[in-house]
Amino acid sequence: MIPAAFEYARPTTVDEALQAIADGGEDVKILAGGQSLIPVMRLRLAAPETVVDLSRIEELRGVRDDGDALVIGAMTTHHDVLTDPLIAQHAPLIAAATETVADRQVRARGTFGGALAHADPAGDLPAVALALDAEFVIAGPGGRRTVPAADFFVDYLTTALEEGELLVEIRVPKLAGQWGMHYEKFNRVAQAWSIVAVAAVVRRDDGHIAEARIGLTNMGPTPLRARAAESALAGAEASAEAIAAAARSAAEGTSPSSDLNAQADYREHLAQVLTRRAVTAAAGL
Amino acid sequence: MTVTEEPAVTQAPPREVGRPRRRKEDARLITGRTTWTDNMVLPGMLHLAVVRSPVAHARITGIDVSAARSAPGVVAVFTGRDFADEQGSIPCAWPVTPDMVNPGHPSIAVETVNHVGEAVAVIVARSRTAAADAVELVDVDYDLLPVVLDMEQALADGADRVHDHIGSNESYRFVFDAGEAGTGADTEQAFADAEVVVSRRFVQQRLIPAFMEPRAVVVQPQGDNYTMWSATQVPHILRLMLAMITGVPEHKLRVVAPDVGGGFGGKLQVTPEEVLSLLVARRLGKPVKWAETRSESLMSAHHGRDQIQYIDIAADREGNVKGLRCRILADMGAYLRLVSPGVPVLGAFMFAGIYKFPAYRFDCSGVFTNKTPTDAYRGAGRPEATFAVERIMDELAVELGMDPLELRRKNWIRPEEFPFTTVAGLEYDSGNYDAATQQALELIGYDELRAEQQRRREANDPVQLGIGFSTFTEMCGLAPSRVLGSLSYGAGGWEHAAIRMLPTGKVEVVTGSSPHGQGHETAWSQLVADTLGVPFEDVEVLHGDTSVAPRGLDTYGSRSLVVGGAAVVRAAEKVIAKARKVAAHLLEASEEDLDYSGGTFSVRGTPGAGVSIQEIALATFAAHNFPEGVEPSIDADATFDPVNFSFPHGTHICAMEVDTETGMVKIRKYACVDDVGTIVNPLIVEGQVHGGLAQGIAQALYEEAVYDADGNLTTGTFVDYLVPSAADLPHFDTGNTVHEAPGNPIGAKGVGEAGCIASTPAVVNAALDAVRHLGVRDIRMPLTPERVWRALHDGGDGGDRATAGTNAYGGAQTETTAGVSTPQSALGGDR
Ligand SMILES: Cc1cc2nc3c(=O)[nH]c(=O)nc-3n(C[C@H](O)[C@H](O)[C@H](O)COP(=O)(O)OP(=O)(O)OC[C@H]3O[C@@H](n4cnc5c(N)ncnc54)[C@H](O)[C@@H]3O)c2cc1C
């Protein structure tokens, strides 16, 4: 459990970090909280030439209000997300999901940006970012670009981040109107990843569900939106029956894996049950 | 030294036995201010790293170590060929039958590898890092052989074989037939005559002990002497066995188990790595250290359980049991380790549980597979037996339409029948099953739970409730040496203790029962404080070092207090007997006129004349004024060999919620009342019960070592091998009844394994009770949500799990096992 030797850089600004990445050679890894990267290195499944540690870059930490959006610095720890008043006010779904991540020790080190950049399909935050239509601000040698969540998650452990780039912050649009949110996680022991989880964001209007956004965790190599269920819910009555009916299509278009925790057909079943529960809770029923 | 007119201690100190003392040893253990083996640093020490096989079964056709040998910091690289002539075999101390086949267990593979994780080369380097780096540089060519994984297939005609040089995959067949032994009626006849027969196949999944402190070894050669520090449960057994294997004479070998962080049977072993460390240290003449990683530990330290049990029970329509027949396949893994074959045999006499079966037959085959060897794991044989009988009693109750508790009551041994000789020939010592059950029912609020269960059933609630029982007993206090002899075990079961009275009146207690987290220092201090009448704080307990505690048989099988503690009490009594002579001399009184109480001898009928044990200790040290012809020592030692086992028992009740939509099970309430005999320290007893429950519940709900079709352990990290934490376990309502064990001076029965043995069937019975009305007959352990859901929706027992590790953690399942890239070693990443 000792990583192979590597070069190490600890920049203090984003520009220095980009330089360090550019100078780092063939195989550079960015280190955020290290809660996913370090284990993989210790198991020698990754052996980067250079590790660029972002922990000293102050500008990447914290949550700020930017008018119509919240901006969460990539290096904001899970713990800081959980205790942030802006998140509690505008995006409680993020806090609800973050609370289910691992244990206290991991949450004290692991970061919001790291969890998204890692894009673990069993991770809880990618589906949340997808359900909230978050945007990812990426810095690279050629400047900054913004990628919508729908385009950020590309494949298993693969994102739109290109070599030499860095995730800087995540913009979460504030929601207008009467929204309810709920994260329904299904796992076997408290500190484990999701077998399946569902992030639901629901706007109610006059006894109806005006709009529902549903993010699915671990139902394929990337986080997914349950589009069929979302459209079945749009305009539907806010009733247990209507939600149950819509939830039956939650697994449409998914491609879950089969592993020790669950085989694909069971995951599909779970997606339906958990979607029903998540939407019901988010709709305040 | 003066004889005081007024004895210093006039009042007897409060009795220590029974006090919930906080454990003396905890502060240092919890804060790490102690010497764990891996903390040790010796001058010039070299570091070992083991290259392990990434394949389950293969012939080694070549090993190229040249790159590793020339890597920076590497001092030497050894392969099996280098040690072939001196490594002997890992010992198996328990040939359970005269014709048991032991294929031999090299510490490092020479020609073939037989399980993933088997050692194929060992790197010796100046730093741990250099050793780890060089592991990847060893290039091994493997010629793959067919992999044997399934026990039932392994015993079929024409099956592929794990070991070419032996005739089959069966190591032994151990039969105990009560009819033949004269302890019961003819089993076949009992079944032929029975009105009702219920047959089931139960699977005891493979578990991993998963002790907290990974294994570590340090060896220091000094001339032709060797000192080995090892995170072991069994320093004494280890010393003896290493001497026998390596030819280092026993008196030239000292083994030290410093503070050891848990074992659960997993460190009751002579490990390949201990042997290799000694061989390398001898070869190089340098101190060496090996410390394993967690993934190495999960993969290569011995596993536990792993049985297929075919259980038949016979009864009449009224629910009187008539016979029990157990056909067991026990997975040995690839090799026999220290007591691998004996584990099922430890259970062989316990399948009848607390019930009065007139007929009983146990028939067990030890089977080889290409997996990590199995051996002792908390309960060793008895959890397997308890599970089988407590599960089959429920199945019989269902068949008869009887209440499961009613059926048990009808058949269990009545309190007035103790001591009771069972159909397996064991003499159960004491207990009251009714009393424990009654108390447990009250603790859990039984009637209210049954009412709620009824309501949920009637309402067709998606969350159903079930209640499960386990009215268990177990066999503790290993063991009467004569009984072990009759079972062909390679050693006795006595335990040794010595007491040294220091000049200042402080007391050193030497125990041969080497602890690894159980709290011996506290409990032994309490025993000695009471017996000698000295303050608890004045007692120091020494253990674990064969040069300090030269005689002992260590800690396992809930034996320490019952056997080791008894030796301590006996030694203390001898100290008093010796001190009495000195006291008589000093007090100028006759021995018969002396009373001993509260640490002071006083003269009957002469108020005010007395001498304390501390004063006697000083007088003995000085020896200026000593009785004629008496040697100036009041130190004493004692060896205690029990005449019988002790039999703790108890009633465990689990209330379980089952979410029928997802299959998720959740323990609502858990209550247990254990009879462990005299309780020396209630806090320690409670702690042992809690820990045992956690492990027993973990077998029911969480843990399983899973191999894929190629023989890779896919539960290779704690991401996939699920060990529950406090957050995953319910509150435990615990209670005790106390029936003293007649077989030892303390009256204790042993508590180390009780919770682990009892709880598993209670949990499974509870889950089944919740969903049986929905058509579920059985669910295989662990009761993963998926299995429960499948049993509910597809029928069957939930079936096999997919073997791939989860994609979480970036797919980081298993450490790369060797420098060769095979599909098996390239785990993680692209799946
Ligand atoms: C025991 C345990 C349990 C866990 N349980 C859960 C769980 O239940 N749910 C869950 O969601 N997660 C869980 N995690 C993972 C945890 O959330 C991690 O914190 C997270 O996955 C990674 O965040 P990190 O800051 O530690 O990133 P790191 O490990 O430092 O990095 C992860 C990856 O992202 C890349 N990266 C990080 N930051 C950036 C950036 N700014 N720009 C570009 N690339 C970047 C790194 O190069 C690396 O490849 C668990 C972890 C552990 C150890």
Side-chain angles (χ1 to χ4, degrees):
Chain A
M1 293 287 268
I2 300 169
F6 53 85
E7 297 295 323
Y8 178 72
R10 193 163 56 185
T12 55
T13 66
V14 169
D15 288 342
E16 277 175 33
L18 290 171
Q19 194 58 50
I21 296 167
D23 296 344
E26 281 286 290
D27 187 2
V28 183
K29 274 280 178 194
I30 293 165
L31 177 70
Q35 298 306 294
S36 295
L37 180 60
I38 299 289
V40 173
M41 288 173 60
R42 284 163 57 110
L43 292 166
R44 299 206 175 203
L45 296 167
E49 189 177 335
T50 305
V51 169
V52 177
D53 180 352
L54 305 185
S55 63
R56 291 281 167 93
I57 307 183
E58 275 309 311
E59 60 189 290
L60 290 180
R61 258 174 219 283
V63 183
R64 63 171 205 276
D65 194 331
D66 193 24
D68 58 354
L70 287 188
V71 182
I72 307 174
M75 287 297 290
T76 310
T77 63
H78 296 316
H79 169 268
D80 289 350
V81 164
L82 272 175
T83 48
D84 189 273
L86 287 172
I87 288 182
Q89 191 187 343
H90 298 291
L93 180 65
I94 296 179
T98 302
E99 206 171 8
T100 72
V101 169
D103 50 38
R104 249 169 229 279
Q105 289 85 342
V106 172
R107 291 197 295 266
R109 288 200 159 265
T111 65
F112 189 60
L116 294 169
H118 189 50
D120 188 331
D124 292 296
L125 299 169
V128 168
L130 199 60
L132 292 173
D133 285 337
E135 293 178 329
F136 292 71
V137 180
I138 295 171
R144 297 198 173 196
R145 63 192 179 106
T146 300
V147 176
D151 298 334
F152 184 75
F153 301 104
V154 175
D155 203 347
Y156 180 67
L157 304 182
T158 309
T159 66
L161 284 161
E162 300 284 345
E163 244 170 70
E165 287 187 328
L166 183 64
L167 177 61
V168 177
E169 57 197 23
I170 298 92
R171 300 177 62 86
V172 183
K174 290 183 188 168
L175 296 171
Q178 273 250 307
W179 290 84
M181 308 181 183
H182 185 79
Y183 192 67
E184 185 76 21
K185 173 163 173 169
F186 191 81
N187 60 357
R188 288 175 63 208
V189 295
Q191 49 86 33
W193 280 261
S194 289
I195 296 172
V196 175
V198 176
V201 187
V202 173
R203 184 159 62 86
R204 274 187 68 172
D205 190 16
D206 200 19
H208 283 75
I209 292 173
E211 187 184 347
R213 303 192 204 151
I214 300 166
L216 301 175
T217 297
N218 217 4
M219 286 300 291
T222 65
L224 296 169
R225 287 279 286 267
R227 296 285 181 199
E230 288 179 0
S231 42
L233 283 167
E237 205 185 313
S239 70
E241 297 71 37
I243 293 173
R248 260 172 237 131
S249 54
E252 264 178 39
T254 64
S255 52
S257 62
S258 285
D259 61 40
L260 283 166
N261 278 324
Q263 296 174 53
D265 60 333
Y266 174 58
R267 279 204 162 88
E268 287 170 6
H269 167 77
L270 282 178
Q272 298 170 28
V273 175
L274 302 178
T275 296
R276 192 191 78 221
R277 291 180 182 179
V279 172
T280 303
L285 288 176
Chain B
M1 142 89 226
T2 55
V3 176
T4 43
E5 294 297 307
E6 292 296 324
V9 188
T10 45
Q11 273 179 326
R15 213 171 126 75
E16 280 291 341
V17 167
R19 278 183 76 174
R21 280 273 189 192
R22 292 215 175 174
R23 307 197 323 178
K24 288 183 166 187
E25 48 272 74
D26 279 357
R28 74 166 196 273
L29 295 180
I30 291 168
T31 59
R33 283 164 200 264
T34 184
T35 311
W36 307 109
T37 303
D38 193 17
N39 294 150
M40 298 202 46
V41 178
L42 298 176
M45 185 172 79
L46 300 173
H47 297 261
L48 308 187
V50 177
V51 182
R52 298 182 181 280
S53 171
V55 296
H57 199 195
R59 200 161 284 118
I60 298 171
T61 53
I63 305 185
D64 182 355
V65 299
S66 51
R69 210 166 255 159
S70 54
V74 171
V75 173
V77 181
F78 297 109
T79 69
R81 294 248 169 262
D82 296 307
F83 291 125
D85 296 335
E86 54 184 300
Q87 67 172 333
S89 168
I90 292 294
C92 175
W94 203 337
V96 291
T97 61
D99 54 357
M100 181 186 88
V101 179
N102 182 353
H105 183 349
S107 289
I108 181 166
V110 181
E111 275 164 8
T112 60
V113 289
N114 290 298
H115 66 89
V116 168
E118 188 168 355
V120 291
V122 54
I123 313 277
V124 189
R126 291 194 202 286
S127 73
R128 196 163 179 178
T129 319
D133 286 346
V135 166
E136 297 181 356
L137 302 175
V138 173
D139 199 352
V140 187
D141 293 325
Y142 294 102
D143 201 353
L144 296 184
L145 295 167
V147 176
V148 180
L149 299 170
D150 179 287
M151 282 195 280
E152 283 161 336
Q153 287 171 16
L155 291 184
D157 283 342
D160 292 320
R161 266 175 293 149
V162 175
H163 299 283
D164 247 356
H165 64 286
I166 58 175
S168 79
N169 292 315
E170 187 179 68
S171 169
Y172 65 84
R173 188 150 183 179
F174 179 96
V175 177
F176 174 83
D177 186 297
E180 287 162 20
T183 54
D186 184 81
T187 310
E188 297 314 311
Q189 196 59 49
F191 275 85
D193 297 345
E195 292 172 6
V196 181
V197 173
V198 176
S199 299
R200 291 285 182 274
R201 174 182 180 274
F202 298 132
V203 179
Q204 280 282 324
Q205 81 271 31
R206 180 176 272 254
L207 300 179
I208 304 181
F211 30 74
M212 194 179 292
E213 179 205 14
R215 298 172 302 163
V217 193
V218 170
V219 180
Q220 181 174 39
Q222 285 160 308
D224 59 354
N225 283 272
Y226 297 87
T227 302
M228 173 183 287
W229 290 263
S230 182
T232 179
Q233 286 174 238
V234 290
H236 299 92
I237 294 174
L238 182 57
R239 178 198 197 194
L240 171 67
M241 292 297 170
L242 286 173
M244 290 166 74
I245 301 166
T246 63
V248 174
E250 195 180 352
H251 61 301
K252 298 286 182 187
L253 193 57
R254 169 182 166 210
V255 174
V256 186
D259 278 332
V260 175
F264 309 120
K267 293 173 181 168
L268 199 192
Q269 194 55 270
V270 176
T271 68
E273 294 82 3
E274 284 162 337
V275 175
L276 283 174
S277 297
L278 182 56
L279 294 180
V280 171
R282 177 163 73 177
R283 182 74 64 93
L284 300 178
K286 296 261 184 168
V288 301
K289 181 200 280 185
W290 172 79
E292 72 182 349
T293 67
R294 178 59 71 180
S295 30
E296 249 183 319
S297 188
L298 295 177
M299 177 167 57
S300 63
H302 74 241
H303 294 172
R305 313 275 191 271
D306 207 343
Q307 292 186 354
I308 297 174
Q309 309 176 316
Y310 307 89
I311 310 294
D312 308 321
I313 190 168
D316 65 19
R317 287 254 158 248
E318 285 70 52
N320 297 301
V321 296
K322 297 294 184 191
L324 184 67
R325 195 163 52 193
C326 307
R327 168 78 180 125
I328 308 293
L329 306 185
D331 194 341
M332 300 289 105
Y335 300 108
L336 302 181
R337 285 197 181 167
L338 190 61
V339 296
S340 307
V343 171
V345 173
L346 274 175
F349 304 93
M350 296 309 296
F351 277 76
I354 62 170
Y355 310 110
K356 295 182 277 185
F357 284 98
Y360 169 60
R361 182 180 166 86
F362 172 89
D363 174 351
C364 173
S365 294
V367 184
F368 292 116
T369 60
N370 291 111
K371 297 181 188 174
T372 301
T374 60
D375 207 309
Y377 173 53
R378 202 169 190 172
R382 289 152 292 156
E384 296 90 320
T386 302
F387 182 86
V389 68
E390 289 303 304
R391 281 283 300 109
I392 202 76
M393 287 301 277
D394 263 33
E395 296 297 312
L396 177 62
V398 170
E399 178 70 28
L400 295 170
M402 271 178 89
D403 178 83
L405 201 50
E406 208 38 57
L407 177 69
R408 285 172 167 80
R409 254 196 207 110
K410 196 168 198 142
N411 289 288
W412 72 39
I413 299 158
R414 317 287 328 156
E416 62 276 10
E417 291 174 311
F418 288 98
F420 183 89
T421 302
T422 73
V423 73
L426 292 173
E427 189 191 281
Y428 288 2
D429 50 359
S430 68
N432 185 329
Y433 305 142
D434 301 84
T437 302
Q438 201 48 46
Q439 198 177 321
L441 289 170
E442 283 158 25
L443 267 183
I444 203 159
Y446 182 65
D447 295 338
E448 170 48 33
L449 284 169
R450 277 285 183 225
E452 180 184 336
Q453 175 181 47
Q454 196 54 36
R455 284 198 300 278
R456 284 181 185 270
R457 268 189 205 171
E458 281 160 10
N460 208 10
D461 197 310
V463 177
Q464 290 290 316
L465 185 68
I467 302 168
F469 294 97
S470 168
T471 51
F472 84 108
T473 189
E474 57 147 333
M475 180 176 85
C476 278
L478 267 52
S481 298
R482 253 178 284 181
V483 176
L484 291 180
S486 73
L487 292 171
S488 312
Y489 182 62
W494 48 263
E495 194 47 82
H496 177 260
I499 292 186
R500 306 201 291 239
M501 297 301 301
L502 306 182
T504 55
K506 310 293 184 199
V507 185
E508 284 180 343
V509 176
V510 177
T511 178
S513 167
S514 178
H516 45 285
Q518 291 85 353
H520 290 23
E521 290 172 33
T522 303
W524 280 210
S525 297
Q526 289 178 274
L527 292 174
V528 170
D530 273 2
T531 318
L532 284 185
V534 299
F536 171 81
E537 294 76 17
D538 285 2
V539 183
E540 187 69 17
V541 178
L542 308 175
H543 55 75
D545 180 339
T546 58
S547 68
V548 172
R551 281 166 48 75
L553 286 168
D554 309 315
T555 289
Y556 42 85
S558 304
R559 70 187 302 272
S560 295
L561 184 64
V562 177
V563 191
V568 169
V569 170
R570 288 273 191 264
E573 289 166 355
K574 287 189 187 173
V575 168
I576 297 168
K578 286 183 159 185
R580 182 177 292 273
K581 289 196 193 323
V582 186
H585 176 76
L586 295 174
L587 293 167
E588 297 176 356
S590 114
E591 276 185 55
E592 295 75 56
D593 292 340
L594 295 182
D595 284 333
Y596 188 67
S597 131
T600 299
F601 286 99
S602 54
V603 186
R604 221 169 296 128
T606 314
V611 59
S612 71
I613 190 80
Q614 289 87 354
E615 289 165 326
I616 295 171
L618 186 61
T620 306
F621 170 72
H624 297 163
N625 176 15
F626 223 66
E628 205 65 42
V630 175
E631 62 173 335
S633 165
I634 56 169
D635 295 353
D637 67 350
T639 302
F640 183 78
D641 195 347
V643 290
N644 189 8
F645 297 96
S646 55
F647 295 89
H649 73 81
T651 295
H652 287 229
I653 311 179
C654 177
M656 176 79 91
E657 289 176 5
V658 179
D659 180 340
T660 58
E661 291 184 339
T662 62
M664 181 63 97
V665 293
K666 182 164 171 272
I667 295 179
R668 160 81 82 77
K669 270 182 142 186
Y670 194 99
C672 60
V673 174
D674 286 292
D675 195 316
V676 298
T678 303
I679 292 173
V680 171
N681 183 322
L683 205 57
I684 293 181
V685 165
E686 179 92 0
Q688 288 291 327
V689 169
H690 279 216
L693 291 177
Q695 279 179 307
I697 291 170
Q699 171 167 20
L701 301 185
Y702 300 116
E703 297 184 24
E704 180 176 25
V706 177
Y707 283 84
D708 69 13
D710 297 322
N712 298 298
L713 179 71
T714 55
T715 48
T717 73
F718 282 152
V719 174
D720 287 317
Y721 189 81
L722 282 197
V723 177
S725 70
D728 306 303
L729 295 164
H731 171 80
F732 300 130
D733 289 301
T734 62
N736 292 104
T737 58
V738 177
H739 290 83
E740 289 183 11
N744 67 75
I746 302 166
K749 292 180 175 175
V751 69
E753 296 153 304
C756 189
I757 291 171
S759 54
T760 313
V763 174
V764 175
N765 282 338
L768 287 168
D769 185 55
V771 295
R772 207 176 253 118
H773 67 291
L774 300 173
V776 177
R777 286 184 46 176
D778 195 14
I779 309 170
R780 224 191 301 163
M781 296 191 292
L783 274 54
T784 67
E786 178 174 16
R787 277 192 172 136
V788 175
W789 179 77
R790 284 194 194 282
L792 275 162
H793 290 265
D794 311 343
D797 63 3
D800 286 329
R801 299 159 73 188
T803 55
T806 60
N807 51 14
Y809 215 44
Q813 289 172 29
T814 310
E815 200 160 1
T816 50
T817 40
V820 287
S821 179
T822 69
Q824 291 87 343
S825 69
L827 293 171
D830 320 36
R831 259 173 312 126

